[in-house]
Each structure stands twice: as C-alpha cells, then as structure tokens.
Amino acid sequence: RWFLVVVEQPDNNSKPVPVPKKIIPASVDDKGRVKLPGPVKKYLLSLDDNRFWVTTLDMRMIRIYTMPAWERNEELLENDTEDIEGAQDVLFIARYYGGEASIDRQGRTLVPAELRRLLAVENQQLWIERDKDHFNLFGKEIYEQKHQRATNNLAEKLRRQEQRGLK
C-alpha cells in the first residue's frame, strides 16, 4: 500500500506579520488562559519560536516575552555587575511568577498559577499592548491610571511633541 503524506511547507515569500500597535482588550478565563486578540495571536504564531515566557517584573502587569527576548533579559540580569542585588531580585520575581507557555489551537496562552493569584486576573477584562520586545497585559485599575495620565494636559503634551517633529 502507498500513502500520500502532505506536508505543509512554510511560504518563504510571505511578508512578516506586523507587530500589533493598538491597545486591544483581552480576557482571562477561569483556568487562567489569556484569549489573545487576533492580531497578537497572528503575530506571535508567525515567529520562528512559538515558546514564550509569561511573567511579571513589577508585580502589577503580566508580560509575555518571546523566548529569545526573555533569554536576553535573563543574561542581562545574570551579568549585571553594577546593581547585583537589584538584578537578582528582579530575576527572582520573574522566575517565581513566570513560566514557559505556548499558544493553543484556540489562541490562548496560560498565565502561571502564582501570577494569576498575585494579580487576581481570572475571569477579568485585560488590555494588551506592545512594549518594545514584549506585550504587557494589565487590568482595569492600571488601564484607568494610564488613561488618566495620558489625558491629563494632553494638549500641552501634544504641543511639545509637535515641536520635536511629530506631524
């Protein structure tokens, strides 16, 4: 007997998926899985390595790093000779609350149990935003703080940025 096996080859001519720029609502289910919004899911799944490190550094927000980005941060923290104690403390928090994750077929990624308990995010509305080489996920309180700060004296902030070249 002969069997035909079809192997899907990656399309090397396809354009890279752009990094989402919008702040997008997300949610965490009762099992601690974040349902990633479509643009975020599409971007993360387009990367060569679909393993992620989900953690916190400030005990206020969840951070999702690609594994290469997280490994660069670990190396930086492990080799910090100017602020050894500070680097060790940040790394301790990141490792204690963090964990490796991937994206399931429904576009969800698991938030480690200790981190879920710390931030009480189960069955909660979150917002997700890109920040340099990771994504931040934050709840309503932080969303409101960011919104309040952004809108406070916005006309003056805009004027200063336009003087610096914003068009």
Side-chain angles (χ1 to χ4, degrees):
R1 294 188 168 198
W2 290 88
F3 295 94
L4 177 63
V5 177
V6 177
V7 178
E8 191 172 320
Q9 294 292 325
D11 180 7
N12 293 331
N13 296 325
S14 64
K15 293 181 182 177
V17 174
V19 177
K21 293 176 178 54
K22 184 171 174 51
I23 297 172
I24 309 170
S27 60
V28 179
D29 67 17
D30 59 344
K31 294 183 177 145
R33 298 170 299 197
V34 175
K35 175 72 171 161
L36 296 170
V40 175
K41 174 185 150 188
K42 188 174 180 181
Y43 169 73
L44 291 174
L45 288 174
S46 75
L47 302 175
D48 291 335
D49 189 344
N50 293 132
R51 297 172 309 126
F52 307 97
W53 187 255
V54 179
T55 192
T56 187
L57 301 182
D58 61 5
M59 298 176 62
R60 298 181 64 216
M61 289 189 280
I62 297 168
R63 292 186 179 202
I64 299 176
Y65 289 93
T66 63
M67 204 49 94
W70 177 247
E71 288 167 353
R72 283 190 303 274
N73 283 341
E74 269 189 321
E75 185 176 337
L76 179 104
L77 292 167
E78 288 170 345
N79 295 312
D80 187 337
T81 57
E82 293 181 33
D83 184 12
I84 296 169
E85 185 176 310
Q88 288 174 343
D89 291 347
V90 169
L91 192 54
F92 175 83
I93 293 300
R95 287 177 172 164
Y96 180 75
Y97 290 107
E100 192 169 321
S102 59
I103 299 173
D104 69 14
R105 291 177 189 248
Q106 287 77 39
R108 301 171 302 194
T109 192
L110 185 64
V111 176
E114 291 295 330
L115 184 52
R116 289 194 315 264
R117 282 192 280 279
L118 172 71
L119 299 179
V121 296
E122 281 136 340
N123 295 314
Q124 296 296 314
Q125 170 81 42
L126 298 177
W127 285 265
I128 186 168
E129 70 174 344
R130 178 182 64 92
D131 185 3
K132 299 177 184 117
D133 64 352
H134 64 277
F135 287 94
N136 288 325
L137 285 88
F138 46 87
K140 185 175 182 173
E141 180 181 342
I142 292 174
Y143 171 81
E144 288 173 352
Q145 289 171 2
K146 286 175 164 272
H147 191 273
Q148 177 64 37
R149 190 185 92 201
T151 57
N152 189 31
N153 297 317
L154 184 58
E156 176 60 24
K157 293 172 185 175
L158 177 58
R159 186 189 64 73
R160 286 194 312 262
Q161 293 306 313
E162 287 174 337
Q163 288 175 338
R164 291 179 174 91
L166 181 68
K167 299 184 189 272

